[in-house]
Amino acid sequence: MGASTDATTSTTSSALSPAIFRQIILSHTYVAIWIFLSFTVIVYNKYILDRKLYNWPYPISLTLIHMAFCSTLASLLVRVFHVVDLPSSMSPRLYLSSVVPIGALYSLSLWLSNSAYIYLSVSFIQMLKALMPVAVYSIGVLFRKESFKSSTMANMVSISLGVAIAAYGEAKFNSWGVFLQLGAVAFEATRLVLIQILLTSKGIKLNPITSLYYVAPCCFVFLLVPWVAVELPSLKENSSFHFDYFIFGTNSFCAFALNLAVFLLVGKTSALTMNVGGVVKDWLLIAFSWSVIKDTVTPVNLFGYGVAFLGVAYYNHSKLKGLKEMEAQRKAEEAVDDDEESSKLLDPRQGDGTSRRNESQG
C-alpha cells in the first residue's frame, strides 16, 4: 500500500516537473494574449465605426489604414530587421497567380466584416461567425479539397440551424448587416480554401508576417478602387473630421499585433488550441456586448448560439480525431518501413542469394 502511494506521488511529481509546469504557463499565456488582442481589435473597430460611439462609419478607409500600417511594419521586419525569411520559391508569376487572388478575397472579407459593425451588434456578429466551418467545408467540397460525408453535412446543418435560431431571436435584426457579415464569411472561407490550393499544395508556407508582407500591399491596392468611388467623396464633404493619430495608430497597431499573436500561438501550441481559445473569446465578447455596450441579447439568441456552439465543438472534435488517426497510421507505416530496413541489415546475404539464383536460372 505504501509502495503504491509512493509510486503515485513520484509519478505526480514527475508529471508536474518545472519544465512541464513552465510549458503549461506559457501556453496559457499565449492563449490569453491572443484572446486579449482579438477581443481588443473587435471592440475597437466597433467603437470607431459605430454611429453612436466614435461615429466614423468608413469601413474601407479603416481597412486601408490597417493595410498601410501592416505593410510598412511587415516590410521593416522582413527587409530591415530580418525577423523571418521569405520563401525562395515565390516568383512574380506565382505571386500574380496565387497571392493576388488571395489578397482580393481578403480585402473583400475585411471590407464587409468591418462594414457589418455599423449595422449589427458585436454579440450577433460573433454568432454569425459560427457559420465559418460550414462555409469552409462547403467550399472545400465544391473545390474537391474535402470529401463529402453525410455525417459531416448533418453537423453543418445543425450549426446552420443554431445560427438561424439566433438570428430569429435577434432584437435589432438588420438584413443588410447580416448580408454583409455572411458575405465576409463566404469570402474568408474561400480565401482559406484557396490558400490550400494555390500555396500549400505548391509547398509554400507563409506565417502571418510574410503573409502580411505579400498580401497587405495587394489588399491596399484592391481597396483603393471602392474607396475612391464610395468613401472619398463623403470624406471630402465631411470637412469637420480631423485625423486622430492616437486612435487610428493604436487601432492599427493592435491589428498588427493580433497577427503576431496568431503566429506565436500557432507556432508554440497548435491551431486546435486557437480554435478552443476562439470559443472562449466568443462567449467573452457576447458577455461584454451585453453588459458593457448594452446590446440586447435575448434567450432565443443564446439558445441558438448554444446549438451552433455544440455543432462547432463536435466538428473540431471530429477533425482532431481524424488528425490523430492519420498520425497513428503514419507512425505505423514508418514502423513497418523500419522493420523491413532492419531485417535487410540483419540478413545482408538474403539479397545476394536471391540475385545468384536469378543469375543461375538465367
Side-chain angles (χ1 to χ4, degrees):
M1 187 74 175
S4 63
T5 304
D6 294 340
T8 304
T9 304
S10 62
T11 302
T12 305
S13 61
S14 62
L16 294 176
S17 63
I20 295 177
F21 182 75
R22 193 183 308 113
Q23 184 62 38
I24 293 174
I25 294 298
L26 285 175
S27 298
H28 283 78
T29 302
Y30 298 144
V31 173
I33 292 172
W34 175 76
I35 289 177
F36 171 76
L37 288 172
S38 180
F39 185 98
T40 302
V41 170
I42 290 173
V43 175
Y44 212 159
N45 287 351
K46 172 66 175 178
Y47 167 76
I48 292 174
L49 295 168
D50 198 306
R51 298 181 188 277
K52 298 178 182 178
L53 299 173
Y54 190 75
N55 190 24
W56 199 69
Y58 301 105
I60 307 177
S61 302
L62 182 63
T63 310
L64 273 176
I65 294 170
H66 288 174
M67 292 300 101
F69 187 90
C70 290
S71 298
T72 304
L73 276 188
S75 297
L76 288 173
L77 291 174
V78 171
R79 293 295 184 183
V80 178
F81 299 104
H82 303 287
V83 175
V84 294
D85 296 325
L86 296 174
S88 58
S89 55
M90 181 64 73
S91 62
R93 182 177 180 181
L94 183 61
Y95 182 86
L96 290 174
S97 62
S98 301
V99 176
V100 170
I102 292 171
L105 290 169
Y106 192 41
S107 62
L108 289 170
S109 173
L110 292 174
W111 172 16
L112 297 184
S113 62
N114 282 335
S115 299
Y117 286 110
I118 301 174
Y119 305 96
L120 301 176
S121 65
V122 171
S123 58
F124 187 43
I125 286 175
Q126 300 311 120
M127 296 176 188
L128 291 175
K129 285 182 179 179
L131 287 171
M132 183 60 73
V134 180
V136 172
Y137 177 74
S138 302
I139 295 171
V141 171
L142 183 65
F143 283 94
R144 298 183 179 179
K145 296 299 294 183
E146 294 276 357
S147 57
F148 179 83
K149 295 180 181 178
S150 57
S151 58
T152 305
M153 184 52 68
N155 187 12
M156 299 298 107
V157 171
S158 69
I159 296 173
S160 303
L161 178 63
V163 174
I165 295 173
Y168 177 77
E170 175 62 18
K172 298 178 180 179
F173 185 88
N174 185 289
S175 57
W176 178 242
V178 171
F179 174 78
L180 290 173
Q181 185 56 48
L182 293 181
V185 168
F187 284 124
E188 178 65 11
T190 307
R191 183 184 74 90
L192 295 175
V193 174
L194 282 186
I195 286 176
Q196 293 181 345
I197 297 173
L198 299 177
L199 295 179
T200 307
S201 62
K202 298 176 182 177
I204 299 176
K205 294 183 179 179
L206 301 177
N207 60 55
I209 297 178
T210 52
S211 295
L212 287 175
Y213 176 80
Y214 286 119
V215 175
C218 183
C219 289
F220 185 88
V221 173
F222 275 112
L223 289 169
L224 277 177
V225 177
W227 179 72
V228 170
V230 178
E231 292 188 0
L232 182 58
S234 179
L235 284 169
K236 287 181 177 179
E237 294 177 1
N238 188 8
S239 57
S240 60
F241 173 74
H242 298 285
F243 190 84
D244 193 326
Y245 288 94
F246 177 79
I247 290 290
F248 292 103
T250 53
N251 178 251
S252 299
F253 181 79
C254 288
F256 183 81
L258 177 59
N259 283 277
L260 298 184
V262 171
F263 175 57
L264 186 68
L265 180 62
V266 175
K268 298 296 183 180
T269 58
S270 67
L272 181 65
T273 303
M274 191 174 73
N275 289 337
V276 175
V279 173
V280 177
K281 178 204 69 178
D282 290 342
W283 283 109
L284 287 174
L285 280 167
I286 291 172
F288 181 86
S289 177
W290 170 72
S291 60
V292 178
I293 305 179
K294 302 302 180 181
D295 288 331
T296 303
V297 180
T298 66
V300 179
N301 273 146
L302 293 177
F303 175 76
Y305 183 66
V307 173
F309 161 74
L310 292 176
V312 172
Y314 180 76
Y315 177 72
N316 287 334
H317 171 74
S318 301
K319 295 288 285 185
L320 177 62
K321 185 179 178 181
L323 291 174
K324 287 183 176 179
E325 291 176 352
M326 291 175 61
E327 183 67 17
Q329 183 179 359
R330 184 183 64 82
K331 289 182 178 180
E333 291 175 353
E334 289 179 354
V336 171
D337 293 339
D338 291 341
D339 290 342
E340 291 179 353
E341 190 67 26
S342 300
S343 64
K344 290 179 181 179
L345 292 173
L346 291 173
D347 191 10
R349 297 179 182 178
Q350 183 178 359
D352 296 339
T354 302
S355 60
R356 287 172 183 172
R357 285 197 302 272
N358 292 336
E359 291 174 359
S360 64
Q361 288 174 0

